[in-house]
Amino acid sequence: MTIQWYPGHMAKARREVATAIRWVDVVLELVDARIPSASRNPVLGELIGDKPRLVVMTRVDLADPDVSRRWIGFFARQGGRAVAVDARSGRGLRGIGGAVRELAAPSVGRWKKRGVRNRGVRVLIVGIPNVGKSSLINRLAGRSAAKTGDLPGVTRAQQWIRTSEGFELLDTPGILWPKFEDPETGLLLAATGAIKEEILPLEEVALFLLKRLQLTYPRALAGRYGDLAGEPEDWLEQVGKGRGLLMAGGRVNVAAAAELVCREFRTGRLGRISLEAPPDEASAEGVDNG
C-alpha cells in the first residue's frame, strides 16, 4: 500500500518556506514525539540546511516518556538540540525560549554590528500537518494568536506572531513530501493523524497499529481489547465483537472497529505509546514497555 497526500497548498508552502528561511534566525522543527523520525520531512531538512534549528517534539503527553528521553539523547548525539513539549498543558515550553536565544545569538550579534538593535529574534516554525504548530504558537504567544484545529491542513497562510519574550514567530502550513520512500512512513503518519482520513484505507492503518502494538506494548493492547488470537487479519473482527460493534445479522462492523482503534491510539486511550525508537538503538520492536 502506498499513502500519498500532497495537495497544491503544500507545494506553495514549500516555496514560501524557501523564501522565509533567509530572513529568520532560528528554525523550530516540530515533530510528533510518537514518531520523531517518520514525522521529519526530508524536504524541510534540505530547506533548513545549516540554519540553527531546535527540534521540538510535540504531543509528548501521548508518547512513552522513556522513549522520548531516549530520542532527546539521540538528537544530542547527532549534534542537534531537542526539547519535548505538551502544548496543551504548557509542559516543557520553558526550554524553548532559552534554547532559541542561545541558537540565535550569532545572528543577533551580526545584526547589532550592523546597527540594528530593536529587531526581535525571528523564528520560523515548520513541520508536517497536524503536529501542533498552531497550538504551540498560541502557548508561546500567551493568547489565541493562530488558527488551531485537530485536522491536518488547518493553517494555509503564513502569519507573523510576536511573543512576550521578544520573538517574532512565523507560522507556516504543514508540509508533507511528494513521495514516501518507505511505505511504513505513510502508515505511521496515517496512524497519528497527519494525513486526512478521507483518503486512507483506515482498516489497513488500524491493522498496522494492532500488529505494531502487539509487538511493542502487548499488555496495553490486551488491557484494552483482550487477548487477540489467531491471524492478525482476524483481530479487527475480535476488537469489534468485544466492543459490540455489530451490524444487522450480528456481523461485525470492521470499519467501525478500525476507526475505534485509530481514535483510541490518537487520543491516548491505549496509554502513552511511541511507535518509533531511536535508530541507533533497536528497531521499533524494541520499544516494548508492555
Side-chain angles (χ1 to χ4, degrees), residues 199-216:
I199 67 169
L200 297 182
L202 202 57
E203 292 178 23
E204 192 161 353
V205 176
L207 182 57
F208 166 78
L209 265 175
L210 291 176
K211 289 178 180 179
R212 178 62 63 94
L213 298 181
Q214 187 73 290
L215 289 171
T216 57

Side-chain angles (χ1 to χ4, degrees), residues 44-162:
L44 290 174
E46 294 173 4
L47 292 175
I48 295 169
D50 295 330
K51 185 73 67 170
R53 83 173 80 181
L54 176 66
V55 176
V56 180
M57 295 169 51
T58 62
R59 308 197 188 284
V60 70
D61 56 310
L62 299 174
D64 185 322
D66 177 63
V67 178
S68 294
R69 285 191 292 269
R70 286 149 51 193
W71 271 107
I72 290 175
F74 166 78
F75 287 121
R77 290 191 296 277
Q78 297 295 308
R81 299 186 62 168
V83 296
V85 305
D86 173 10
R88 289 186 294 184
S89 71
R91 185 165 63 89
L93 293 182
R94 291 183 179 180
I96 293 179
V100 166
R101 281 188 288 271
E102 184 176 335
L103 290 169
S107 179
V108 171
R110 288 191 294 270
W111 281 106
K112 287 184 177 179
K113 286 182 179 179
R114 299 175 188 175
V116 179
R117 299 188 177 277
N118 295 323
R119 177 183 176 278
V121 174
R122 293 179 179 173
V123 181
L124 181 66
I125 298 183
V126 299
I128 65 170
N130 203 27
V131 78
K133 294 185 302 298
S134 296
S135 295
L136 178 66
I137 287 176
N138 289 342
R139 274 286 179 179
L140 293 174
R143 56 193 172 90
S144 183
K147 186 178 181 182
T148 62
D150 292 330
L151 298 176
V154 169
T155 307
R156 292 297 183 91
Q158 291 182 325
Q159 51 183 320
W160 285 97
I161 309 293
R162 185 179 294 275

Side-chain angles (χ1 to χ4, degrees), residues 123-289:
V123 181
L124 181 66
I125 298 183
V126 299
I128 65 170
N130 203 27
V131 78
K133 294 185 302 298
S134 296
S135 295
L136 178 66
I137 287 176
N138 289 342
R139 274 286 179 179
L140 293 174
R143 56 193 172 90
S144 183
K147 186 178 181 182
T148 62
D150 292 330
L151 298 176
V154 169
T155 307
R156 292 297 183 91
Q158 291 182 325
Q159 51 183 320
W160 285 97
I161 309 293
R162 185 179 294 275
T163 75
S164 58
E165 293 190 72
F167 301 153
E168 296 175 1
L169 308 177
L170 178 58
D171 183 24
T172 58
I175 307 174
L176 288 174
W177 50 111
K179 182 180 180 181
F180 304 139
E181 297 298 332
D182 183 354
E184 185 173 283
T185 297
L187 286 165
L188 289 167
L189 291 170
T192 55
I195 301 175
K196 284 187 175 180
E197 291 191 358
E198 289 87 342
I199 67 169
L200 297 182
L202 202 57
E203 292 178 23
E204 192 161 353
V205 176
L207 182 57
F208 166 78
L209 265 175
L210 291 176
K211 289 178 180 179
R212 178 62 63 94
L213 298 181
Q214 187 73 290
L215 289 171
T216 57
Y217 297 88
R219 289 195 296 274
L221 190 64
R224 194 71 184 171
Y225 303 126
D227 293 324
L228 300 179
E231 296 298 319
E233 288 70 22
D234 299 327
W235 290 350
L236 283 174
E237 288 267 355
Q238 295 174 41
V239 170
K241 186 175 181 180
R243 288 299 185 87
L245 301 176
L246 305 177
M247 299 185 294
R251 291 183 298 115
V252 174
N253 188 333
V254 176
E259 190 277 332
L260 174 76
V261 170
C262 291
R263 172 166 42 84
E264 294 200 331
F265 164 71
R266 293 170 186 169
T267 58
R269 293 290 184 89
L270 288 167
R272 298 181 65 176
I273 289 173
S274 294
L275 297 180
E276 289 185 313
D280 59 349
E281 300 179 1
S283 65
E285 284 73 17
V287 171
D288 195 1
N289 274 0

